[in-house]
Amino acid sequence: MPDTARIFTDIIELVKTLDPANTRKWFDDLVVMRFAHGLLEIGCPDEVTAQFLNDNCRGAFTKAAQSATGHLVTVKFGTAHAQIAPSTAPRPEWAVKLHPDYSFENFVVGPANRLAHASCIAVSQAPGVTYNPLFLYGSVGLGKTHLLHATCHETQKKFHGASVRFLSCEQFVNAFISAIEKGNLPEFQSHCRTVDMLVIDDVQFLREREHSQEEFFHTFNALYNNRKQIVLTADCAPAELPSLEERLISRFKWGLVARLDAPSYETRVAIVQKKAHLRGLEIPEPVAEYIAHKVQANIRELEGALTIIYATAKTIGEEVSLDLAKRAIGAEVDLHKNITISEIIDAVTDYYDVRLTDLQSKKRSQSITLPRQICMFLARSLTRHSLEEIGGHLGGRDHTTVLHACSKIKELQKNDPQTNAQLAELTKTITQS
Ligand code: ADP
Ligand code: MG
């Protein structure tokens, strides 16, 4: 067994270099459950972490295991001790998987999010009782989705077997439409209406979707009348949700409505430190302060800055320092400057050595498709242009094509370290030009 232990330590070290973006400090706590006949079974503390590893890290672990042993190895993740009883209703495939990073423990509380945080805790301690529905709102990247995951984690921990269903509003709408098409509406309805807690993220997505609003209205009533908890988020207050039916808006206001504001400087510093800690990185205080100073509005960008700094340090083989941080994210970087689609297209065509006319053409070879999709993704994340406008710049493609491209690149960003690095580099070029 000492041999297995040593190999496993090597594997974990290799994974850290192969896939730094997905590396977490708790990887050190993983254990080997079984290692025989080319099968490596890794034990995780709970179902959520096992799921996270299966979805995001299997490739890196497999590669690492193969180079550590010199053999083909199949990697599996499981729970070392199955402590959490599975919830009564199985999760349909269209529901959100909980993310282990998004816990209350990993959420930094400050004046800007205190009420939202406290109300989520209250709901997870007594679902359906205190605040029903709970409605969180605020602009993008302020922690709404994080709080929803944390609420689900906590509720499941406290009430073993409670059935908690977490959906993005888009998933709700798509599952509803597909249930109609396939003629299994009752099944969909029972998935949504028989749970103890229904959590729906980004309900602004219901705008203009009348049939889905109708369905949602009935789901809401069914749950509410049975004293089941409902938690919702949106990017604006209920009253400002345009074109949403009045009766739906008034229901949103029945319980507690909590707003999230942009966090203060002190909170941002604490968040950067927390994120670094989660990945097992040592971050010098001046670097954390520098990032917090540079990035003000969207917390997601704090993480991006952290990633760029550590990736740069690694590429050039230097320790992370304030000086390096300044070089990496640029003394004059302004993450809010007005980046144009043309700047993005210039950077991408340059980087991949393709022509704009190719990006705008109907060509579908991989060497053209990838840069095209990366343009769409970057335009979506770095500018405020609509999907239609972005598609317009790239050969008049419609909004579904752009959406598809964005989700594909997002997926690659998570699972493919090479694309992830290319995106980081491109982002840097674009934001600093
Ligand atoms: P939203 O849903 O409001 O757009 P998210 O919940 O997706 O925002 O948050 C974006 C990122 O910022 C996530 O990685 C989340 O963990 C992080 N984040 C936001 N607020 C906090 C906070 N107070 N503490 C720790 N992380 C935070
Ligand atoms: Mg969100």
Side-chain angles (χ1 to χ4, degrees):
M1 207 54 181
D3 226 27
T4 307
R6 189 179 44 77
I7 291 175
F8 192 57
T9 313
D10 289 349
I11 293 176
I12 297 291
E13 286 312 307
L14 277 168
V15 168
K16 288 180 184 169
T17 52
L18 283 169
D19 190 4
N22 279 317
T23 295
R24 295 292 176 270
K25 197 169 187 312
W26 49 261
F27 279 13
D28 292 332
D29 303 330
L30 298 172
V31 295
V32 177
M33 291 202 291
R34 193 150 58 113
F35 189 17
H37 312 298
L39 174 68
L40 171 61
E41 265 187 82
I42 301 176
C44 312
D46 52 52
E47 197 51 54
V48 174
T49 44
Q51 186 84 60
F52 170 81
L53 290 167
N54 265 314
D55 291 345
N56 302 291
C57 309
R58 183 128 52 149
F61 273 83
T62 306
K63 253 190 221 157
Q66 292 181 358
S67 32
T69 58
H71 301 292
L72 284 175
V73 178
T74 305
V75 176
K76 271 192 180 168
F77 301 96
T79 45
H81 347 267
Q83 335 131 308
I84 297 176
S87 56
T88 33
R91 183 173 56 80
E93 65 191 38
W94 36 266
V96 169
K97 291 174 188 165
L98 292 184
H99 195 299
D101 284 357
Y102 294 167
S103 61
F104 284 130
E105 198 175 85
N106 291 336
F107 191 82
V108 177
V109 185
N113 57 31
R114 182 158 286 128
L115 175 63
H117 174 260
S119 46
C120 283
I121 295 210
V123 159
S124 66
Q125 298 305 311
V129 180
T130 334
Y131 305 124
N132 205 16
L134 172 61
F135 189 103
L136 308 179
Y137 74 94
S139 52
V140 65
L142 297 185
K144 300 182 295 296
T145 301
H146 185 138
L147 282 175
L148 293 186
H149 281 253
T151 307
C152 294
H153 282 304
E154 198 57 31
T155 307
Q156 283 181 330
K157 220 188 279 168
K158 188 162 167 81
F159 304 94
H160 288 197
S163 74
V164 173
R165 183 80 67 239
F166 180 5
L167 303 172
S168 71
C169 190
E170 196 171 355
Q171 285 168 320
F172 177 88
V173 170
N174 291 342
F176 169 60
I177 293 170
S178 119
I180 295 176
E181 281 166 1
K182 293 192 188 127
N184 52 8
L185 196 55
E187 192 187 330
F188 167 79
Q189 289 173 333
S190 101
H191 270 309
C192 296
R193 297 185 190 180
T194 56
V195 294
D196 299 315
M197 182 190 275
L198 181 69
V199 176
I200 300 197
D201 203 0
D202 291 318
V203 293
Q204 73 272 4
F205 196 78
L206 282 177
R207 278 176 201 145
E208 325 280 344
R209 291 180 171 78
E210 280 154 37
H211 293 302
S212 300
Q213 281 185 33
E214 179 76 22
E215 179 64 23
F216 185 77
F217 180 75
H218 293 300
T219 306
F220 186 103
N221 287 343
L223 290 167
Y224 188 86
N225 292 336
N226 286 320
R227 296 170 166 266
K228 302 299 186 189
Q229 181 68 45
I230 302 154
V231 187
L232 308 166
T233 72
D235 62 3
C236 60
E240 291 157 18
L241 282 165
S243 82
L244 217 58
E245 277 184 65
E246 194 47 50
R247 56 177 186 166
L248 206 48
I249 291 175
S250 74
R251 271 170 176 64
F252 290 168
K253 293 194 262 188
W254 280 354
L256 179 75
V257 176
R259 189 177 77 196
L260 287 102
D261 290 310
S264 66
Y265 171 74
E266 289 76 15
T267 310
R268 295 199 303 278
V269 174
I271 293 174
V272 175
Q273 286 167 333
K274 186 126 252 170
K275 294 284 176 196
H277 183 75
L278 195 59
R279 298 188 192 183
L281 305 171
E282 294 284 336
I283 184 160
E285 188 128 1
V287 176
E289 290 171 355
Y290 178 67
I291 298 177
H293 174 72
K294 280 278 142 205
V295 184
Q296 315 224 334
N298 180 339
I299 308 298
R300 207 165 291 155
E301 293 176 355
L302 287 179
E303 278 195 276
L306 192 66
T307 307
I308 295 176
I309 291 170
Y310 279 83
T312 311
K314 197 144 172 219
T315 324
I316 60 177
E318 255 182 55
E319 293 275 305
V320 170
S321 62
L322 179 57
D323 178 55
L324 177 126
K326 283 186 178 164
R327 273 180 284 145
I329 59 172
E332 74 296 354
V333 185
D334 177 3
L335 286 166
H336 309 293
K337 80 168 188 162
N338 272 334
I339 292 169
T340 64
I341 297 187
S342 311
E343 284 168 338
I344 293 173
I345 291 176
D346 284 348
V348 173
T349 47
D350 223 41
Y351 188 89
Y352 292 98
D353 197 16
V354 290
R355 288 173 310 179
L356 173 59
T357 47
D358 286 332
L359 296 187
Q360 292 174 331
S361 72
K362 299 250 174 293
K363 288 184 193 163
R364 286 165 157 275
S365 63
Q366 176 68 12
S367 62
I368 303 293
T369 314
L370 182 73
R372 184 188 291 137
Q373 291 179 329
I374 285 190
C375 272
M376 294 177 181
F377 173 82
L378 290 172
R380 186 77 179 140
S381 41
L382 299 174
T383 75
R384 303 247 175 275
H385 288 291
S386 69
L387 296 167
E388 284 77 11
E389 287 168 328
I390 296 170
H393 277 82
L394 290 153
R397 291 177 155 79
D398 67 16
H399 73 282
T400 51
T401 309
V402 180
L403 256 188
H404 170 76
C406 293
S407 58
K408 200 186 135 196
I409 299 299
K410 216 165 154 187
E411 203 47 41
L412 280 174
Q413 188 182 33
K414 262 201 314 200
N415 299 324
D416 178 38
Q418 199 186 341
T419 312
N420 188 19
Q422 293 175 355
L423 284 168
E425 204 172 318
L426 277 165
T427 306
K428 195 176 140 201
T429 313
I430 294 162
T431 50
Q432 293 184 14
S433 60

